[in-house]
Amino acid sequence: MSSISRPNLDPDELIVKAEYFLPVEPDDGNLRKIKDEFRAILRQKEYIQVDAGMDMVGPIHQSMTFKPNLDKSDPPLKWRIKDFFGFTSNTEIPSYQREYIFKRIEERVEDLPFEIEIRFRSIENESSGFRTTIIVVPTLLQQYRQRILTTDSDFDVKTTVKYTKREIERIFSKIGATPLQKPYTEAEVLESEINQEHRNALNQLEYGDTALQYLNEGDACLQRGLLNAALNCYILCIEWLIITHLKREGRRDVIEEEKEEGGEYYRELVRELKDDEYVSQKTFEKLDEMNSVERRWMAHHKSGELAETDVRNVRDRLEILIRELFPRSDSPN
């Protein structure tokens, strides 16, 4: 018996995420109002909250999940006749319901959202409010997971992602939120701007391969949602990039010095870039600021205060540093 051939779909190319800021006093009362607004908006789009019971007891839950309202239809006439004469069993009812829901998913337009998860995190500083993350699984991915799709199925990943992004923007425009991270997929973000020429050059430089190793490990952690581990890897990558640069320029061999005098920390290494001919003043200032911001986040890794946008900002700065320290025209000594 031959198996049905399935298409090869990558969830990282289909799941769309975004982050928004809601500028309100971050208390339970306002969070309830915000959640009520989301319920009303998504109810109009025929979604139901599948975890509504979480708010019934205890403190208000910090997330909410919606799925399409796949109402059960009336059973077919044949089934109703059997039921009338008492010929149906209890096992037939859930079986019929499962078949009906499966059919509804199969018939659903693939570029519509299937699962919408919204997470809230309170921010209390000079700009108080809620940092809100939305994660959307499109119907196309759900169809793939339930083995509905075949290689002959007619679908377009790019169109699905484009529509999903547009739908997220529509939802949050009605809420009046400010975008912190516009809708994106993991595949888009992790399509590294560090091209192969940069990678090859670093691999040939002493200590450069260690910097790339931390970069790759950070990307892998970020892709799995391990934010604190990703942040740690990215900052270690920055340190090793500076170490590689200092060695290439013949200024210092930090690793050899460590064997006799002990190691240096992030701040001391960044200070080596002050007035460096390769590094812009803006990049130096941003890296120097990270000592008091990102490093503090790492110290509080158990508190859950780290946001994905913050980690991606560190990665962006890391990429800029690579482009400045190791221009593509460079060739290793």
Side-chain angles (χ1 to χ4, degrees), residues 88-293:
T88 57
S89 66
N90 290 334
T91 59
E92 285 185 88
I93 298 175
S95 175
Y96 161 73
Q97 292 172 348
R98 284 195 301 271
E99 290 176 7
Y100 173 74
I101 292 175
F102 185 87
K103 186 66 176 175
R104 287 291 303 275
I105 295 173
E106 183 180 22
E107 295 172 346
R108 187 173 171 83
V109 178
E110 70 272 4
D111 55 12
L112 289 174
F114 181 81
E115 180 175 295
I116 302 171
E117 181 182 357
I118 305 171
R119 303 172 183 171
F120 305 94
R121 188 165 70 91
S122 60
I123 304 294
E124 297 186 22
N125 50 37
E126 65 275 5
S127 300
S128 296
F130 288 102
R131 184 189 290 268
T132 307
T133 302
I134 183 169
I135 304 170
V136 178
V137 175
T139 297
L140 177 60
L141 182 56
Q142 186 65 24
Q143 291 171 338
Y144 172 76
R145 287 171 171 172
Q146 296 198 206
R147 299 180 175 273
I148 293 172
L149 298 179
T150 69
T151 51
D152 295 327
S153 300
D154 184 20
F155 61 87
D156 187 329
V157 170
K158 290 183 178 180
T159 300
T160 297
V161 170
K162 180 180 178 181
Y163 186 87
T164 304
K165 291 179 178 180
R166 190 180 303 159
E167 190 64 14
I168 290 174
E169 290 170 345
R170 286 181 185 140
I171 292 170
F172 278 89
S173 68
K174 294 181 179 181
I175 294 289
T178 302
L180 296 175
Q181 178 86 27
K182 291 185 177 181
Y184 65 92
T185 65
E186 291 290 347
E188 291 169 342
V189 174
L190 295 180
E191 183 177 343
S192 179
E193 296 177 12
I194 304 168
N195 60 37
Q196 196 59 46
E197 194 172 346
H198 278 124
R199 290 177 178 271
N200 290 341
L202 278 169
N203 269 321
Q204 295 177 59
L205 290 168
E206 191 170 1
Y207 309 134
D209 57 341
T210 304
L212 284 177
Q213 179 182 341
Y214 280 117
L215 171 64
N216 294 333
E217 289 179 5
D219 283 351
C221 290
L222 182 58
Q223 200 164 9
R224 295 196 299 270
L226 305 174
L227 300 183
N228 293 289
L231 177 63
N232 186 42
C233 287
Y234 290 151
I235 289 183
L236 286 169
C237 177
I238 291 172
E239 292 177 349
W240 279 93
L241 287 171
I242 298 172
I243 291 170
T244 303
H245 170 66
L246 295 175
K247 173 66 174 177
R248 180 194 62 178
E249 295 300 298
R251 290 164 54 182
R252 292 180 59 190
D253 189 330
V254 176
I255 303 306
E256 286 299 318
E257 291 174 9
E258 278 188 355
K259 296 176 182 179
E260 299 178 5
E261 304 172 11
E264 293 197 18
Y265 296 98
Y266 180 88
R267 178 180 287 276
E268 288 74 27
L269 288 170
V270 169
R271 293 289 178 180
E272 292 281 353
L273 299 180
K274 186 175 177 61
D275 300 322
D276 189 289
E277 62 176 306
Y278 288 89
V279 180
S280 67
Q281 182 65 23
K282 180 178 180 181
T283 296
F284 170 75
E285 291 174 354
K286 289 290 186 181
L287 292 172
D288 195 43
E289 288 172 7
M290 282 169 54
N291 185 71
S292 58
V293 181

Side-chain angles (χ1 to χ4, degrees), residues 8-25:
N8 184 20
L9 292 183
D10 184 351
D12 288 336
E13 295 180 356
L14 282 164
I15 297 175
V16 181
K17 303 178 181 179
E19 285 201 1
Y20 288 81
F21 182 72
L22 295 167
V24 297
E25 189 65 28

